[in-house]
């Protein structure tokens, strides 16, 4: 599996209404056209043989994708895990911190709601100051 990165991303790479200036790729981000086309190809492939795809090919494909990502970020595939979304990944990191009373959790005022709640939760639980 090869991965080609095309930088910088320009507006033409998105399917967005050209009259719209779209800034929120955090909540409901638009997908770049090449990614959109690729995932549609995978969806069609899945629809051709769902049981075969999910039952027999899925694990191998996910392993290949992880290996490709590992090569891209210069690490071993074993160092990477899939998470359902950014919020889950950040909660895993937050839970791995050993926070103590007197510690401080510093965030910006651009943090999104789920992470505000995560830090408040960990602050209350550990006695750290948010
Ligand atoms: C601004 C912003 N960034 C990031 C996220 C993360 O979303 P997710 O955990 O679904 O990937 C959200 C979700 O609402 C968001 O609003």
């Amino acid at each position: 599996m090869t991965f080609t990165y095309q930088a910088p991303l320009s507006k033409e790479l998105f399917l967005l209404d050209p009259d719209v200036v779209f800034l929120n790729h955090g909540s409901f981000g638009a997908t770049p056209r090449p990614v959109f086309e690729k995932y549609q190809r995978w969806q069609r492939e899945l629809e051709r043989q769902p049981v075969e795809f999910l039952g027999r090919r899925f694990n191998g494909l996910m392993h290949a994708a992880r290996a490709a990502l590992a090569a891209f970020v210069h690490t071993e595939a074993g160092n990477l895990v899939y998470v359902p979304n950014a919020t889950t990944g950040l909660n895993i990191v937050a839970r791995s911190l050993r926070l103590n009373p007197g510690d401080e959790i510093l965030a910006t005022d651009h943090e999104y709601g789920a992470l505000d709640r995560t830090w408040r939760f960990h602050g209350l639980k550990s006695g750290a100051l948010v």
Side-chain angles (χ1 to χ4, degrees), residues 27 87 91 108-121:
S27 306
T87 304
N91 271 275
T108 73
D109 58 2
H110 293 282
E111 195 63 274
Y112 66 103
L115 261 288
D116 279 336
R117 288 179 191 85
T118 294
W119 295 127
R120 275 204 305 273
F121 171 78

Side-chain angles (χ1 to χ4, degrees), residues 23-126:
L23 298 176
N24 188 352
H25 285 275
S27 306
F28 307 102
T31 307
R33 191 184 301 270
V35 175
F36 185 80
E37 286 164 2
K38 193 94 170 187
Y39 84 59
Q40 283 197 320
R41 268 216 311 277
W42 282 113
Q43 284 177 317
R44 286 205 180 82
E45 183 85 8
L46 162 66
E47 293 304 321
R48 282 166 49 84
Q49 275 271 29
V51 172
E52 191 248 357
F53 189 96
L54 293 172
R56 301 194 187 101
R57 295 178 59 204
F58 184 79
N59 287 343
L61 291 167
M62 292 298 273
H63 187 77
R66 200 167 60 142
L69 178 61
F72 181 68
V73 297
H74 306 290
T75 190
E76 302 292 317
N79 291 333
L80 302 176
V81 293
Y82 289 115
V83 293
N85 55 33
T87 304
T88 303
L90 287 162
N91 271 275
I92 291 168
V93 172
R95 276 175 189 263
S96 75
L97 300 173
R98 295 208 177 105
L99 295 167
N100 295 301
D103 288 343
E104 293 184 26
I105 301 166
L106 187 63
T108 73
D109 58 2
H110 293 282
E111 195 63 274
Y112 66 103
L115 261 288
D116 279 336
R117 288 179 191 85
T118 294
W119 295 127
R120 275 204 305 273
F121 171 78
H122 287 290
L124 283 173
K125 210 173 138 192
S126 66

